Amino acid sequence: MTEFKCKALVVGGGPAGLATAGLLAQAGVDTVCLAPIAADDQRTVAIMEPSLRLLRSLGVWDDALQAACAPLEQLHIIDDTGDLITAPDLRFHAEEVGLKAFGWNVPLAVLLPALRARAIAMAARVLETNMASATLSEAHVTALTTSGEQIEAEFGVAADGRLSALRGLAGIKVDEWSYDQSALVTRFQHSRTHEYVSTEWHKRGGPFTTVPMAGNASALVWMDKPVVTAARAALPLEALAREIQLQNHGTLGLISDVAKPAVFAMRGVKSDVFAARRVYLVGEAAHVFPPVGAQGLNMSMRDAGHVLDVVLAHDDSGCAAAMQEYQSLRLPDVLPRQTAISFMNRSLLLNDLAPNLLRVAGLAAVSAVPMIRKLALREGLSPSGKLPFVMRSQQV
Ligand SMILES: Cc1cc2nc3c(=O)[nH]c(=O)nc-3n(C[C@H](O)[C@H](O)[C@H](O)COP(=O)(O)OP(=O)(O)OC[C@H]3O[C@@H](n4cnc5c(N)ncnc54)[C@H](O)[C@@H]3O)c2cc1C
């Protein structure tokens, strides 16, 4: 059996795990990352400016990656529920917050290999294998992999996704639920330019969001009841193109070259505890919610940045004080955001008057009251609390 001793053991090869491993290794922390190669993921993720700072600081945001991505200069929210009382259109410009772009839309298929390569270049030992089991003691986290390695670390990072086994071993209990919703994800070409505007159409079954990609192309995340989504996903691609064109009211012109769609079931995971027994939770191991307002991965990047800050501040990075510090940094960022997004999403699913009036009133307030508008913009980009150091340390 091969045995490794290290300071940090990161379990998970998604964006949260690879970013955390890269950051730790770059800071000189001896890191092993268990990162099985993921199946092709055709999702794109809107990465906002603070998270881009993290990618820049990691040396990942280079010309090659940028060429595959598109800037998000405007965000447009349209109430397309067809209800009697609808919210006003909301259009935000990045210039309002002194930026050229709120962020960039990045294909995961390009981001993941870039993060993996960077973590390896920073001397993290990235093993393409799964954690099979782990034991947690007073002083160590010890894991066995499915390919027979044993790794003993001072602390662990659970980046193993929604069903996180390491989270369970740390004794952290979470609330889990399913939404009566799934998301159809695809990309397509269009005859009109997107002008770098991301548009979220709020429909009765959930948001229909187009996000600019490089060239005259956009990504689509379209949420609806699972049976409706499944039927759409089974359509011939030409018929799906017509349906997309209808749903965005022709704003992108003629739709063509729709990629074979993928379907994601919508689930929620909520934790009140973000670290315990020498294990930090990051990414979907800590929080899962619907892709509304592009918050999931951006929050995961803040998890990664805060793990780094806490680890560097403590000689024993798995001690109770370090766990407590991480908890106090993550809880006020994650919980209010998760609650707001779940509410927004559920109000679209419910036909009840009260939650819908509240949603409409909220959006109207954001539209009409400059102070609320500014607050919404700021909170959409980053939390009012403390940003991790790597997200504070450089300008655009
Ligand atoms: C349709 C959709 C669109 C989205 N769009 C956006 C967006 O625009 N902006 C945004 O910020 N967020 C977005 N999100 C959310 C974002 O995609 C997630 O937050 C992010 O992908 C989660 O990354 P992760 O690394 O935590 O989890 P995952 O990507 O699930 O990675 C977990 C990894 O752990 C590995 N793993 C599991 N078990 C083990 C084990 N035992 N040993 C080793 N490895 C293990 C898995 O193989 C996997 O690679 C979207 C989500 C969806 C569903």
Side-chain angles (χ1 to χ4, degrees):
M1 178 186 291
T2 318
E3 291 184 26
F4 295 93
K5 280 192 196 296
C6 58
K7 188 162 170 93
L9 169 65
V10 179
V11 180
L18 291 170
T20 311
L23 284 174
L24 289 169
Q26 179 171 263
V29 177
D30 183 13
T31 302
V32 171
C33 179
L34 305 184
I37 300 276
D40 273 357
D41 193 329
Q42 65 159 309
R43 278 179 297 170
T44 64
V45 279
I47 297 195
M48 299 307 182
E49 177 53 31
S51 303
L52 287 174
R53 278 181 224 147
L54 182 149
L55 294 184
R56 282 189 204 107
S57 147
L58 203 46
V60 167
W61 189 240
D62 58 13
D63 291 349
L65 183 56
Q66 253 185 66
C69 309
L72 306 174
E73 295 178 358
Q74 291 179 40
L75 307 175
H76 194 184
I77 299 175
I78 302 171
D79 188 330
D80 198 22
T81 53
D83 289 353
L84 230 47
I85 306 169
T86 53
D89 273 17
L90 266 179
R91 196 184 271 271
F92 298 106
H93 298 256
E95 292 138 25
E96 291 179 56
V97 282
L99 296 171
K100 277 198 278 193
F102 287 111
W104 285 63
N105 191 30
V106 182
L108 276 178
V110 188
L111 179 65
L112 285 172
L115 285 172
R116 181 179 289 266
R118 191 60 189 164
I120 293 169
M122 290 294 102
R125 284 169 283 176
V126 179
L127 311 181
E128 291 174 18
T129 187
N130 274 286
M131 182 187 82
S133 63
T135 49
L136 311 183
S137 70
E138 282 286 303
H140 296 115
V141 173
T142 308
L144 284 177
T145 69
T146 47
S147 44
E149 294 92 353
Q150 178 178 304
I151 300 126
E152 184 187 276
E154 184 178 288
F155 68 92
V157 176
D160 46 348
R162 181 173 64 82
L163 302 171
S164 174
L166 190 52
R167 177 184 70 204
L169 291 167
I172 300 175
K173 301 235 174 348
V174 295
D175 291 338
E176 291 179 76
W177 64 94
S178 295
Y179 292 87
D180 186 19
Q181 251 178 341
S182 55
L184 179 146
V185 173
T186 187
R187 58 188 70 191
F188 56 87
Q189 299 283 327
H190 34 83
S191 60
R192 285 197 195 142
T193 157
H194 45 51
E195 292 174 340
Y196 303 107
V197 183
S198 176
T199 309
E200 197 166 285
W201 303 83
H202 286 182
K203 297 179 186 283
R204 260 289 145 243
F208 169 103
T209 308
T210 58
V211 195
M213 294 180 69
N216 259 14
S218 290
L220 171 68
V221 179
W222 186 359
M223 288 159 63
D224 213 322
K225 296 231 180 257
V227 44
V228 179
T229 299
R232 283 185 189 128
L235 285 173
L237 296 180
E238 295 73 23
L240 184 57
R242 283 195 294 278
E243 195 52 35
I244 293 170
Q245 199 169 310
L246 209 64
Q247 293 295 330
N248 73 11
H249 304 278
T251 46
L252 289 171
L254 195 67
I255 307 296
S256 63
D257 299 320
V258 179
K260 189 173 162 26
V263 172
F264 292 81
M266 288 296 104
R267 299 215 163 82
V269 170
K270 174 177 166 290
S271 182
D272 296 327
V273 178
F274 293 84
R277 301 193 61 199
R278 299 193 165 266
V279 172
Y280 298 92
L281 304 189
V282 300
E284 293 210 333
H287 42 72
V288 180
F289 44 87
V292 180
Q295 294 292 316
L297 185 56
N298 287 286
M299 202 171 286
S300 307
M301 293 289 145
R302 295 202 287 279
D303 298 337
H306 273 143
V307 166
L308 176 67
D309 289 353
V310 171
V311 164
L312 294 184
H314 293 266
D315 287 338
D316 175 0
S317 308
C319 69
M323 304 273 101
Q324 187 49 46
E325 191 179 332
Y326 184 68
Q327 172 76 14
S328 65
L329 288 166
R330 297 316 299 139
L331 186 79
D333 180 13
V334 176
L335 281 194
R337 211 167 285 271
Q338 188 160 29
T339 308
I341 285 165
S342 288
F343 170 76
M344 171 75 80
N345 184 45
R346 280 189 199 278
S347 74
L348 287 170
L349 287 173
L350 295 170
N351 260 325
D352 298 359
L353 192 61
N356 275 294
L357 281 181
L358 207 58
R359 176 179 56 83
V360 170
L363 291 173
V366 173
S367 164
V369 185
M371 223 173 73
I372 300 182
R373 182 182 176 90
K374 223 172 171 177
L375 186 78
L377 267 175
R378 203 189 61 205
E379 284 299 316
L381 276 179
S382 64
S384 42
K386 202 173 172 191
L387 271 179
F389 183 75
V390 280
M391 295 188 177
R392 281 182 266 148
S393 51
Q394 9 148 335
Q395 295 303 313
V396 195

